């Protein structure tokens, strides 16, 4: 067992980029706000880099030049009010430069008025339930069968052989492109969190509380995420898949689902 | 020095430690109790570290290899509780016990019997906590943050978890009372507050934080207990309660707790950097004000841990701005350390190396902290490995490196012998390389969207997880060097009283090893010399 793990660990090291990526940064995402979020992230990051270059630069120069082995005599100064005022004021100015654009984005994030589509998301241990408010569609969405089989301890299935291991569901959420989608999030049991990086949405689902989040997807495609708040033993196994489709395709999907629901109802 | 020892003989007939186990069980001596705290925390670091090894082994490659998800969750929960309450906090209390009386010229802690009690509660508390590993339903697995309703699903371990936390809190509060009373009442006659060494100052502020927030934690977990067993609904939506209220109360404790774990570390490096730069600490007074500002701000930023729970916009803006403000006094501290080094005459013994790594790597943790303060970006980072990277950067190469620096710095004073410098440096370089190998890739994992607290992951996260696991194994093994250095510390060459060429402070005016009783009579400023300025 241990040897097998060790060998596969080695294999991972050498296989390198063959079956995985060394992604370094946050995705830009597919909504205006996810791009704004990305820009905020990068802005603060570059400020940190700039501060880091100055602070670490001075420190490194000092580490090389101000050594006892270089024969230096230590200076005797131990304070300078001017210097201290300067390095208190400069960070305050930088923080204000950061805070203002960030606050603007926060105001937009909270503005979920006038949605084109509302979906009630209810979290369960350990699956999601989606209810399209005006379309009369609702369904559960859980981990897809291939991942479910491979995830078990000693399943004998290589996770690399499973498509979208742990990030695939049986029934994805389908939304139209360019529509303002409002999510109303709550939970049936413990706190969960609905998290899709490309939509820049992470919102806790809390029993007894209905939270709001919204997005307007600009690009068609399949976007994956998963529960982000520890919710018990299968916390790692409740993925989220959002399919953004063209508006026509969305209407077709709604009709097909309604028809399917009606057929099921007739057969009962 | 011989006069001090002679004085001691005149006044005291009980001048040596008791024999046998009684010396430790009934000790009221600050040095013995300090030693016990430090040994206890070292043991807990290895217990918590073993749990980290379980976590990193499971995460080395995708798929479940070693443990089941329930046990994995127990490991993350217990790792955090043990490292925070059993590792970092007792280590700093141990350093406080040993060094504060020596640094302020007091004969002992002000309340020696309470000191004994506050230590001996800890082994009991952690025996209770660790015993839950063998209980039906397993150890607590709801995360160290204990969010309801999830934590109420804990099995038989639940009341033991609450009771253990109460005990840890009582121990911390008693330790804090002792520190405050000692510092306020037992300083050498001419040592005014602003003449106190930085380590004493940061501990004074930390002790007030402890007294302010440990009762809040006790209240929060007691409400959990009554929700579980006595039919209340503080946090249960079905009974009209609010699960988010727990998070507010918890983080009102939790955020100051973060500073409880870092302020004494600031104090330690503020002692060490001047010694090895052979230059006075730059801006002593502004360092004090900065530490006090950080402590004050720590009470008004708690909800930055909760940007995703659905707070009103105005609340989010307030907590974001307040959080960003913390960068200002923290920046002052870092700049002052750099200014202390500037135009000094530095040498690089092990304590200095750990302190320099502290300044570099804690600052990196501070940068990711500033990124986390920006609320929209925080919504992306929250509960991902980016946060795991952030708090491990401030806690491991932050707090723990400072603890290691302190041990190397004062070990010759404690044992009377120099430790093995070559092994100390080997320990430093191994720790520094592996700590970065472990935690730096976690930034990338978090940005790519890997959540915390999951036992298995999607295959695109494989590479960096493998790197982190290799780093963690290396970091864990490196700590065996640390133990070896401490165990063999009694074999080194004799240490002088001053130990380090550039050392200043009252603790360096007593012999090495420090006698069982020191400062039976208060030191005079004249003897202490520059230590008082």
């Amino acid at each position: 067992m241990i040897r097998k793990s060790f060998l596969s660990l080695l294999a991972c090291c050498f296989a390198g980029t063959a079956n995985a990526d060394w992604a370094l940064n946050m995705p830009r995402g597919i909504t205006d706000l996810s791009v704004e979020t990305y820009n905020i992230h990068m802005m603060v990051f570059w400020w940190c880099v700039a501060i880091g270059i100055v602070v670490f630069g001075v420190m490194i120069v000092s580490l090389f030049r101000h050594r006892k082995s270089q024969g230096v005599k230590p200076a005797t100064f131990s304070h300078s009010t001017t210097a201290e005022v300067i390095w208190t004021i400069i960070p305050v100015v930088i923080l204000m430069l950061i805070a203002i654009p960030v606050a603007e984005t926060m105001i937009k994030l909270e503005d979920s008025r006038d949605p084109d589509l509302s979906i009630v998301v209810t979290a369960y241990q350990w699956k999601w339930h989606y209810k399209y408010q005006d379309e009369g569609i609702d369904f559960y969405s859980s981990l897809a069968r291939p991942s479910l089989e491979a995830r078990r301890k000693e399943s004998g299935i290589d996770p690399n052989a499973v498509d979208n291991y742990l990030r695939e569901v049986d029934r994805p959420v389908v939304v139209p492109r360019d529509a303002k989608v409002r999510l109303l999030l709550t939970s049936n049991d413990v706190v969960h969190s609905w998290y899709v990086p490309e939509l820049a949405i992470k919102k806790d689902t809390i029993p007894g509380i209905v939270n709001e989040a919204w997005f307007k997807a600009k690009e068609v495609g399949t976007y994956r995420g998963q529960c982000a708040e520890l919710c018990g033993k299968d916390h790692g196994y409740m993925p989220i898949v959002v399919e953004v489709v063209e508006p026509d395709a969305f209407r077709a999907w709604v009709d097909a689902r309604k028809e399917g629901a009606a057929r099921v109802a007739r057969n009962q | 020095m011989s006069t001090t020892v002679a004085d001691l003989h005149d006044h005291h007939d009980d001048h040596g430690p008791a024999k046998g186990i009684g010396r430790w069980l009934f000790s009221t001596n600050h040095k013995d109790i300090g030693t016990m705290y430090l040994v206890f925390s070292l043991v807990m670091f290895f217990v918590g570290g073993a749990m980290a090894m379980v976590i990193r082994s499971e995460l080395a490659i995708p798929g479940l290899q070693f443990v089941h998800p329930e046990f994995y969750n127990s490991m993350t929960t217990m790792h955090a509780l043990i490292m925070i309450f059993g590792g970092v906090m007792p280590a700093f209390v141990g350093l406080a016990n040993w060094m504060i009386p020596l640094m302020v010229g007091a004969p002992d802690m002000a309340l020696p019997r309470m000191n004994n009690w506050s230590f001996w509660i800890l082994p009991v508390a952690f025996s209770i906590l660790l015993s839950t590993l063998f209980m039906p339903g397993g150890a607590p697995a709801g995360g160290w943050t204990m969010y309801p309703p999830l934590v109420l699903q804990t099995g038989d371990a639940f009341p033991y978890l609450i009771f253990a936390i109460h005990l840890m809190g009582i121990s911390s509060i008693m330790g804090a009372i002792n520190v405050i009373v000692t510092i306020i009442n037992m300083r050498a006659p001419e040592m005014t507050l602003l003449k106190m060494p930085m380590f004493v100052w940061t501990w004074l502020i930390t002790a007030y934080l402890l007294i302010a927030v440990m009762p809040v934690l006790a209240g929060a977990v007691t409400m959990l207990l009554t929700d579980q067993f006595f039919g209340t609904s503080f946090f249960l939506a079905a009974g009209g309660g609010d699960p988010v209220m727990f998070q507010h109360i918890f983080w009102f404790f939790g955020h100051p707790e973060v500073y409880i774990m870092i302020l004494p570390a600031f104090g330690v490096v503020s002692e060490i950097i001047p010694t090895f730069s052979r230059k006075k600490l730059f801006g002593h007074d502004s360092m004090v004000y900065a530490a006090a500002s950080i402590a004050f701000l720590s009470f008004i930023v708690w909800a930055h841990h909760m940007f995703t729970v659905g707070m009103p916009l105005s609340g989010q803006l307030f907590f974001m701005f307040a959080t960003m403000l913390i960068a200002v006094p923290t920046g002052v501290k870092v700049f002052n350390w750099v200014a202390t080094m500037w135009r000094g005459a530095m040498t690089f013994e092990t304590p200095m190396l750990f302190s320099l790594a502290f300044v570099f790597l804690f600052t990196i943790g501070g940068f990711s902290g500033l990124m986390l303060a920006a609320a929209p970006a925080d919504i992306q980072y929250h509960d991902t490995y980016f946060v795991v990277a952030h708090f491990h950067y401030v806690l491991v190469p932050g707090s723990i490196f400072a603890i290691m620096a302190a041990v190397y710095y004062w070990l010759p004073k404690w044992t009377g012998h120099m430790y093995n410098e070559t092994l100390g440096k080997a320990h430093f370089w191994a720790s520094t390389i592996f700590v970065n190998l472990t935690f730096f890739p976690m930034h990338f994992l978090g940005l790519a969207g890997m959540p915390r607290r999951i036992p298995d992951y999607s295959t695109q996260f494989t590479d960096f997880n493998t790197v982190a696991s290799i780093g963690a194994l290396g970091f864990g093994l490196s700590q065996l060097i640390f133990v070896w250095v401490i165990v063999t510390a009694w074999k080194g060459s004799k240490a002088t009283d001053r130990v380090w060429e550039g050392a200043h402070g009252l603790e360096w005016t007593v012999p090495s090893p420090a006698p069982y009783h020191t400062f039976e009579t208060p030191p005079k400023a004249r003897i202490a010399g520059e230590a008082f300025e």
Side-chain angles (χ1 to χ4, degrees):
Chain A
M1 180 63 223
I2 289 172
R3 179 184 296 171
K4 198 181 113 199
S5 308
F6 184 70
L7 284 178
S8 45
L9 200 137
L10 273 183
C12 285
C13 296
F14 292 114
T17 49
N19 54 10
D21 53 356
W22 296 82
L24 296 178
N25 207 350
M26 186 190 279
R28 299 177 74 94
I30 51 149
T31 71
D32 287 343
L33 283 172
S34 74
V35 174
E36 274 189 38
T37 300
Y38 174 85
N39 290 338
I40 287 171
H41 155 72
M42 291 313 289
M43 172 187 67
V44 187
F45 171 74
W46 286 117
W47 272 117
C48 290
V49 170
I51 301 166
I53 287 172
V54 174
V55 175
F56 294 154
V58 172
M59 202 169 144
I60 289 166
V61 168
S62 185
L63 287 181
F64 282 99
R65 285 182 45 196
H66 305 141
R67 295 171 171 235
K68 193 189 174 199
S69 57
Q70 307 263 322
V72 283
K73 286 270 171 288
T76 51
F77 65 88
S78 69
H79 67 271
S80 157
T81 311
T82 321
E84 290 176 70
V85 168
I86 290 171
W87 65 48
T88 306
I89 288 174
I90 290 178
V92 171
V93 173
I94 294 175
L95 289 175
M96 288 201 296
L97 291 175
I98 293 174
I100 291 163
V102 172
E104 283 170 4
T105 302
M106 283 169 76
I107 292 164
K108 290 184 210 161
L109 278 170
E110 292 297 319
D111 184 8
S112 58
R113 285 173 298 182
D114 305 325
D116 300 317
L117 176 68
S118 287
I119 305 175
V120 180
V121 181
T122 310
Y124 290 77
Q125 283 175 318
W126 292 274
K127 57 182 178 263
W128 302 95
H129 180 262
Y130 299 100
K131 182 171 189 290
Y132 288 63
Q133 265 194 324
D134 298 326
E135 283 73 13
I137 296 171
D138 76 295
F139 55 88
Y140 287 96
S141 177
S142 351
L143 186 66
R145 176 65 61 181
S147 290
L148 204 59
E149 282 163 4
R151 60 159 271 205
R152 280 195 308 273
K153 197 174 160 215
E154 284 153 15
S155 66
I157 303 170
D158 178 8
N160 293 305
V162 178
D163 281 344
N164 296 308
Y165 177 60
L166 300 185
R167 284 265 170 127
E168 188 65 278
V169 294
D170 49 2
R171 278 176 292 271
V173 191
V174 179
V175 296
R177 186 169 63 89
D178 283 332
K180 182 167 184 176
V181 180
R182 179 176 64 156
L183 302 174
L184 298 164
L185 305 113
T186 189
S187 167
N188 186 57
D189 36 53
V190 301
V191 182
H192 304 258
S193 191
W194 199 87
Y195 171 38
V196 178
E198 255 99 358
L199 303 176
I201 289 185
K202 184 185 287 129
K203 201 76 168 184
D204 292 358
T205 66
I206 302 165
I209 289 173
V210 178
N211 270 333
E212 274 188 333
W214 71 274
F215 63 91
K216 193 186 243 181
K218 299 273 183 188
E219 283 171 44
V220 169
T222 305
Y223 304 100
R224 297 169 197 280
Q226 65 188 98
C227 178
E229 179 65 56
L230 179 62
C231 58
K233 73 179 172 70
D234 284 356
H235 165 52
Y237 307 99
M238 45 188 296
I240 298 158
V241 177
V242 177
E243 273 180 18
V244 179
V245 297
E246 295 294 350
D248 296 347
F250 176 71
R251 291 261 47 108
W253 176 80
V254 168
D255 294 342
R257 279 220 67 97
K258 275 185 175 161
E259 200 177 303
R263 201 166 50 237
V264 169
R266 271 201 305 277
N267 290 348
Q268 272 171 351
Chain B
M1 270 318 66
S2 55
T3 51
T4 318
V5 177
D7 287 348
L8 192 150
H9 278 267
D10 290 342
H11 302 304
H12 235 272
D13 39 16
D14 171 29
H15 47 74
K19 296 280 176 282
I21 189 79
R23 168 177 177 179
W24 305 102
L25 278 178
F26 309 122
S27 180
T28 52
N29 180 288
H30 74 102
K31 300 185 183 77
D32 281 355
I33 293 172
T35 304
M36 288 196 289
Y37 264 111
L38 288 167
V39 170
F40 175 79
S41 87
L42 186 64
V43 172
M44 285 296 132
F45 276 129
F46 276 89
V47 174
M51 291 171 178
M53 292 300 114
V54 174
I55 293 167
R56 283 316 321 170
S57 309
E58 185 52 68
L59 291 177
I61 52 170
L64 275 192
Q65 289 83 31
F66 304 110
V67 295
H68 289 287
E70 308 88 296
F71 187 73
Y72 178 88
N73 289 344
S74 291
M75 285 294 103
T76 54
T77 305
M78 297 285 274
H79 166 74
L81 288 170
I82 287 171
M83 288 303 200
I84 292 167
F85 293 101
V88 174
M89 289 169 70
F92 282 126
V93 179
L95 292 171
N97 254 296
W98 246 105
M99 301 319 299
I100 286 176
L102 288 180
M103 292 173 115
V104 302
D108 203 306
M109 295 296 277
L111 306 160
R113 288 187 180 79
M114 194 168 83
N115 205 9
N116 173 294
W117 193 26
S118 70
F119 170 75
W120 280 109
I121 283 176
L122 282 181
V124 178
F126 282 89
S127 303
I128 292 171
L129 185 64
L130 286 168
S131 73
T132 60
L133 284 165
F134 308 102
M135 287 179 185
W144 83 281
T145 48
M146 299 176 288
Y147 283 3
L150 180 64
V151 74
L152 302 177
Q153 297 179 352
T154 308
D156 288 5
F158 181 76
Y160 295 89
L161 167 70
I162 304 294
F163 189 50
I165 288 187
H166 272 303
L167 288 178
M168 295 167 203
I170 291 168
S171 165
S172 292
I173 290 169
M174 290 197 297
I177 290 172
N178 222 338
V179 166
I180 292 173
V181 179
T182 307
I183 295 174
I184 298 295
N185 292 304
M186 296 179 69
R187 296 192 310 279
E190 287 164 59
M191 184 181 277
T192 57
L193 282 174
L194 276 176
K195 284 181 181 169
M196 294 196 311
M198 271 313 288
F199 180 70
V200 179
W201 252 114
T202 54
W203 239 114
L204 181 65
I205 293 165
T206 303
Y208 278 108
L209 287 181
L210 277 167
I211 288 183
V213 300
M214 294 312 284
V216 177
L217 176 66
V221 296
T222 306
M223 285 188 266
L224 287 178
L225 192 77
T226 60
D227 272 7
Q228 181 80 315
F229 295 115
F230 302 106
T232 59
S233 299
F234 290 108
F235 309 127
L236 299 176
D242 181 358
V244 178
M245 187 173 72
F246 177 86
Q247 300 185 20
H248 281 290
I249 300 172
F250 180 86
W251 286 113
F252 186 82
F253 146 79
H255 202 79
E257 170 68 18
V258 170
Y259 294 99
I260 287 167
M261 290 190 284
I262 202 67
L263 285 178
F266 289 170
V268 166
V269 298
S270 301
E271 298 297 328
I272 294 173
I273 289 175
T275 295
F276 295 97
S277 304
R278 290 164 183 77
K279 197 161 151 276
K280 259 194 250 169
L281 180 66
F282 185 89
H284 176 280
D285 294 1
S286 66
M287 290 293 245
V288 172
Y289 302 138
S293 313
I294 291 172
F296 168 73
L297 288 172
S298 77
F299 286 108
I300 56 165
V301 297
W302 75 87
H304 69 213
H305 297 267
M306 303 164 57
F307 280 136
T308 63
V309 302
M311 271 186 296
L313 177 64
S314 51
Q316 292 186 46
L317 287 170
F318 170 79
F319 286 109
M320 179 177 81
F321 295 144
T323 304
M324 286 183 161
L325 270 185
I326 293 186
V328 177
T330 314
V332 167
K333 294 217 144 257
V334 173
F335 301 143
N336 282 11
W337 289 322
V338 176
T340 306
M341 292 174 221
W342 189 254
R343 292 184 54 212
M346 278 187 270
T347 52
F348 302 96
E349 288 86 347
T350 311
M352 182 63 163
L353 289 175
F354 273 107
S355 300
L356 292 172
F358 171 95
V359 178
F360 271 109
L361 300 176
F362 173 81
T363 303
I364 288 178
F367 287 150
S368 55
L370 183 60
M371 295 170 76
L372 282 156
D378 176 86
I379 289 168
Q380 285 278 42
Y381 309 140
H382 179 77
D383 267 332
T384 70
Y385 263 81
F386 190 83
V387 175
V388 178
H390 161 71
F391 67 71
H392 279 96
Y393 257 87
V394 290
L395 278 173
V396 184
S399 304
I400 292 178
F401 270 27
I403 291 166
M404 289 170 178
V407 169
Y408 283 110
Y409 185 55
W410 285 311
L411 198 59
K413 180 55 65 187
W414 300 338
T415 64
H417 296 272
M418 300 305 287
Y419 60 86
N420 185 325
E421 189 65 47
T422 313
L423 281 179
K425 285 189 171 138
H427 173 225
F428 165 77
W429 285 110
S431 295
T432 303
I433 290 165
F434 285 121
V435 86
N436 285 295
L437 200 60
T438 309
F439 297 116
F440 208 81
M442 291 185 185
H443 291 111
F444 307 136
L445 288 171
L447 293 176
M450 178 171 165
R452 299 165 67 176
R453 295 165 163 172
I454 54 172
D456 193 3
Y457 47 81
S458 187
T459 50
Q460 79 258 30
F461 303 128
T462 307
D463 299 312
F464 285 125
N465 268 300
T466 306
V467 172
S469 289
I470 293 168
L473 180 67
F475 185 76
L477 292 175
S478 310
Q479 302 322 307
L480 298 175
I481 309 175
F482 186 46
V483 175
W484 183 249
V485 173
I486 293 170
V487 170
T488 58
W490 282 264
K491 291 182 183 166
S493 58
K494 288 290 290 174
T496 60
D497 292 359
R498 189 158 291 277
V499 182
W500 311 107
E501 187 188 44
H504 296 289
L506 287 178
E507 76 265 39
W508 308 107
T509 63
V510 301
S512 302
Y516 202 57
H517 295 289
T518 37
F519 298 124
E520 290 278 293
T521 51
K524 294 193 170 55
R526 183 168 48 79
I527 299 173
E530 69 281 272
F532 268 52
E533 286 164 38

